[in-house]
Amino acid sequence: MAIQTSIADRKPNIEQIISVITKPIIGEICNQVIFSYGDELRLDFGEMSAYTHPKLAHLSKGSWQFGTRATPWVFKQGDRILTSSLAVDIDGEIDEVEIDAVKKVLQQLENKELIDFAIDADNISLSLVFEGDRQLILQPDLQDDSGLPYWELFMPTEQVLTVGPGFFWECKSIHERD
């Protein structure tokens, strides 16, 4: 059964609810940073394993998979911005050279422990804090009308936590259909 609600309905509790759901990922190591589709960022945490589909068997995934969707982000160390999400031209092509340069900077997160995973109920921003004073901060555009979630967290329990668009969130089995 899916847990589903509007953040606006339970604004005072969303920070605690997300904290409880995501508590088991705290202390996990980020093993892989990739761009999964276009400029969508994916971080794999925990035990790595091969995909079960034969065409993907050469690739590996973490027991925890965190992915950005329609969400700008900033990667910082201390107060210094190291890189940020790419401005995407819908009519243009993705610049592979630029993506490779950004990915190279983001690979600083690999082999780093996740120390905090915190959402701000006021603006739905999300901060992933890693050892070494590194932070990945997602800054959703609440006016975005793409209909895409801001981010998703696939868990080893076969659950997925989805936040966005707007003040919407849900946690459900990966086997449930929409």
Side-chain angles (χ1 to χ4, degrees):
M1 177 167 185
I3 300 171
Q4 177 175 325
T5 189
S6 165
I7 293 173
D9 295 342
R10 300 182 185 268
K11 186 175 173 183
N13 298 327
I14 186 60
E15 291 165 355
Q16 292 110 341
I17 292 167
I18 297 295
S19 175
V20 167
I21 293 171
T22 61
K23 185 176 182 183
I25 196 173
I26 303 301
E28 291 288 346
I29 302 297
C30 178
N31 291 305
Q32 179 172 260
V33 177
I34 63 171
F35 285 99
S36 60
Y37 177 79
D39 68 333
E40 292 181 359
L41 184 60
R42 192 182 88 207
L43 280 63
D44 289 284
F45 295 86
E47 185 177 333
M48 298 295 284
S49 61
Y51 281 90
T52 54
H53 191 282
K55 290 185 178 180
L56 300 175
H58 64 289
L59 300 174
S60 60
K61 63 179 180 171
S63 55
W64 293 86
Q65 293 180 297
F66 174 80
T68 67
R69 296 294 305 272
T71 309
W73 50 263
V74 173
F75 177 44
K76 297 169 62 173
Q77 185 167 19
D79 293 331
R80 198 174 103 221
I81 294 175
L82 302 177
T83 192
S84 60
S85 52
L86 305 170
V88 177
D89 176 5
I90 304 248
D91 297 325
E93 291 188 21
I94 303 277
D95 182 344
E96 294 298 329
V97 172
E98 192 174 359
I99 284 186
D100 286 345
V102 170
K103 183 179 175 187
K104 193 170 194 84
V105 174
L106 286 168
Q107 284 176 328
Q108 293 180 40
L109 294 175
E110 291 180 355
N111 302 311
K112 298 292 184 267
E113 180 181 345
L114 182 66
I115 295 171
D116 197 13
F117 190 106
I119 191 166
D120 182 329
D122 293 325
N123 59 13
I124 315 303
S125 68
L126 177 71
S127 296
L128 279 72
V129 181
F130 294 83
E131 65 180 290
D133 200 21
R134 292 174 175 87
Q135 296 178 59
L136 181 65
I137 303 166
L138 280 69
Q139 303 166 319
D141 175 1
L142 295 173
Q143 307 308 312
D144 179 9
D145 61 359
S146 70
L148 292 172
Y150 300 138
W151 56 269
E152 299 171 317
L153 179 65
F154 290 85
M155 301 175 258
T157 57
E158 297 191 336
Q159 299 282 315
V160 60
L161 172 62
T162 305
V163 173
F167 288 93
F168 172 84
W169 72 274
E170 71 178 350
C171 186
K172 67 180 185 180
S173 167
I174 60 171
H175 303 290
E176 283 185 48
R177 294 182 179 248
D178 290 328

